[in-house]
Amino acid sequence: MTHSLYNRPKLLIIDKNQFGYVPDPFKWCEHLRYKYDITFISGDHNLPKIELSDIKIKYVHFQRLPYVLRGLLFILTAIVFVYRNPNNNIIIEYFKWCSIIQFFCPWKKIIVDIRTLCVEKDERQRQSSDRQLIKDCGRFKRITAISEGVKNKLGLSGIQLLPLGSDVISDTQKNYNTNIKILYVGTLYNRNIHEMLHGIGLFVQKHPNISITVDIVGDGINGQFDYLKNVIYNNGLKHIVKLHGYIPLTHLKPFFDNCNIGLSYVPITDYYNYQPPTKTFEYIRSGLFCIATATKANSEIINSTNGILIQDTPESVCIGLETFLRLKSNINEQSLRNTLKDNSWENISNILSIGILGTKQPPESDL
């Protein structure tokens, strides 16, 4: 039994990022493509193209244009498609000056979605970016946000919650009583990974007889790999820690299959506090015990069944691993996974479809 593909309502998604490189809108498309006739307006950032059947992708090519002209071309293209869209099923992934689209189409009840606040270290840059975001969003009557923390920090009325979802990357049964096998997946930029490595080094020094491996997947800015290699060498972790660089989501399964601990190491700062890390969800839903820094967002996810919270210091990383040693015999894998069972991308996409867009479930059909 499948849903009829006829008379599907149209859904327009506008995202200045390239299609497939931001997980949330990609996963919405993946799960809603047989319920909606979806057109996706995407920036072309000269990255390999990711395709998804039944999704009409319109790339805006602007690599050689100056910054302002790129923005203008993207906005003009988006306005044309908003005019053509026959209903109000329109979602804009927030970008600077996106309010111009609403200004020129005031009769359209466009949804602007906010996945993140500014996370740059420079405070003045963060404040300027967040002020612009609030100013832009003030023109929209319909706003969605990724978390309660982001929603509260915006201070705008009528914001609906559209939470982060995650896949079950690994369904392989985990063994917590064997060797410690740590996985870190995420950007290396601005995350103080060197402190995480110092913490692992402290643990290895205190527990030299415990077998431990660490896989780090992600990329950073120029020179960062060489710096982290030096940190690894200086902490005696050369044969323990492997830096794998960027690996696409579709190739991550072997890492999640092999490991039993997921490290969600995010600096505890005002600008990261409210941002739920994708990998915290993916670790837990894939059966990995999660050791996570105690940001407000992580504190809403981690509980005594699925992980522990630590501070963002080397000493706390070491304590977290020692705590795992004490708890590992009592970890129930299925209970751990089930703590976030409602955060499947299918459930989140249904929240978007029914709770936010207000589209009723179509009747079943034999077509």
Side-chain angles (χ1 to χ4, degrees):
M1 299 283 282
T2 58
H3 294 311
S4 171
L5 300 183
Y6 298 104
N7 300 318
R8 291 176 294 169
K10 292 185 180 296
L11 172 60
L12 176 64
I13 301 176
I14 300 166
D15 189 356
K16 205 172 179 182
N17 298 292
Q18 187 165 319
F19 179 76
Y21 287 85
V22 176
D24 304 61
F26 178 80
K27 289 297 179 179
W28 302 337
C29 288
E30 186 179 279
H31 288 279
L32 296 178
R33 54 187 161 155
Y34 302 123
K35 186 173 182 178
Y36 294 90
D37 179 0
I38 301 176
T39 300
F40 199 106
I41 311 300
S42 167
D44 183 353
H45 297 273
N46 204 29
L47 298 168
K49 298 294 190 295
I50 296 175
E51 296 182 357
L52 189 62
S53 63
D54 290 285
I55 304 297
K56 302 169 189 171
I57 306 170
K58 168 64 179 177
Y59 286 104
V60 181
H61 307 277
F62 48 40
Q63 286 90 357
R64 293 187 176 87
L65 294 175
Y67 177 75
V68 174
L69 288 181
R70 277 185 279 167
L72 182 60
L73 176 61
F74 188 83
I75 288 170
L76 289 174
T77 304
I79 289 173
V80 169
F81 277 85
V82 169
Y83 264 101
R84 291 176 179 173
N85 199 63
N87 54 37
N88 289 314
N89 293 335
I90 303 168
I91 302 170
I92 297 176
E93 285 302 303
Y94 174 78
F95 62 91
K96 190 176 181 181
W97 302 321
C98 66
S99 57
I100 295 173
I101 301 171
Q102 182 72 85
F103 177 80
F104 281 100
C105 306
W107 65 93
K108 293 285 189 181
K109 295 179 181 178
I110 302 170
I111 297 169
V112 62
D113 176 69
I114 302 149
R115 296 289 92 189
T116 182
L117 301 173
C118 182
V119 294
E120 292 295 329
K121 281 188 175 181
D122 185 88
E123 184 175 0
R124 286 182 297 178
Q125 185 176 348
R126 289 200 314 274
Q127 290 176 348
S128 175
S129 294
D130 289 344
R131 281 196 301 269
Q132 182 66 47
L133 183 150
I134 292 169
K135 181 179 177 181
D136 281 325
C137 291
R139 187 173 291 277
F140 294 87
K141 293 181 179 179
R142 306 180 71 193
I143 306 170
T144 54
I146 194 171
S147 71
E148 288 287 352
V150 170
K151 176 180 171 180
N152 293 336
K153 192 161 185 181
L154 288 171
L156 298 170
S157 61
I159 299 178
Q160 292 178 274
L161 194 63
L162 184 56
L164 182 65
S166 66
D167 287 315
V168 175
I169 295 176
S170 169
D171 53 11
T172 302
Q173 185 176 354
K174 302 296 181 286
N175 186 346
Y176 309 104
N177 290 305
T178 184
N179 302 336
I180 291 179
K181 300 177 181 180
I182 298 172
L183 177 62
Y184 172 88
V185 180
T187 181
L188 307 181
Y189 172 67
N190 207 13
R191 293 297 176 96
N192 297 343
I193 300 303
H194 61 286
E195 294 186 353
M196 182 185 85
L197 291 169
H198 286 315
I200 294 170
L202 289 175
F203 178 83
V204 170
Q205 290 173 24
K206 292 177 68 175
H207 306 276
N209 295 324
I210 293 178
S211 180
I212 177 172
T213 61
V214 183
D215 289 296
I216 297 179
V217 177
D219 55 8
I221 58 176
N222 290 337
Q224 196 157 23
F225 257 70
D226 289 335
Y227 171 68
L228 291 179
K229 286 178 181 177
N230 286 332
V231 173
I232 290 167
Y233 180 81
N234 292 334
N235 280 272
L237 302 174
K238 185 177 179 181
H239 301 293
I240 293 172
V241 178
K242 293 183 180 179
L243 292 171
H244 296 275
Y246 171 77
I247 294 177
L249 180 64
T250 51
H251 292 76
L252 287 178
K253 188 178 186 301
F255 296 97
F256 279 80
D257 286 345
N258 180 61
C259 293
N260 52 20
I261 293 177
L263 260 179
S264 182
Y265 195 85
V266 180
I268 303 173
T269 63
D270 179 60
Y271 47 95
Y272 280 127
N273 234 346
Y274 305 103
Q275 191 65 36
T278 303
K279 292 304 175 273
T280 302
F281 288 84
E282 290 177 343
Y283 293 148
I284 293 169
R285 296 202 71 229
S286 295
L288 279 69
F289 185 83
C290 188
I291 299 177
T293 48
T295 61
K296 283 185 168 59
N298 271 336
S299 298
E300 294 173 358
I301 303 166
I302 300 297
N303 58 41
S304 59
T305 301
N306 60 28
I308 56 171
L309 294 167
I310 62 172
Q311 296 303 303
D312 56 348
T313 65
E315 294 76 15
S316 195
V317 172
C318 179
I319 292 170
L321 291 171
E322 291 175 332
T323 303
F324 169 78
L325 290 179
R326 294 198 303 271
L327 297 176
K328 63 180 184 177
S329 61
N330 295 319
I331 299 172
N332 182 293
E333 180 182 349
Q334 196 56 52
S335 296
L336 183 153
R337 290 177 181 266
N338 286 343
T339 58
L340 293 178
K341 64 180 181 179
D342 292 338
N343 285 86
S344 69
W345 279 120
E346 182 178 5
N347 284 346
I348 301 305
S349 298
N350 282 333
I351 290 172
L352 172 60
S353 175
I354 301 169
I356 294 172
L357 294 175
T359 305
K360 295 180 180 179
Q361 290 281 17
E364 295 273 330
S365 170
D366 291 325
L367 291 176

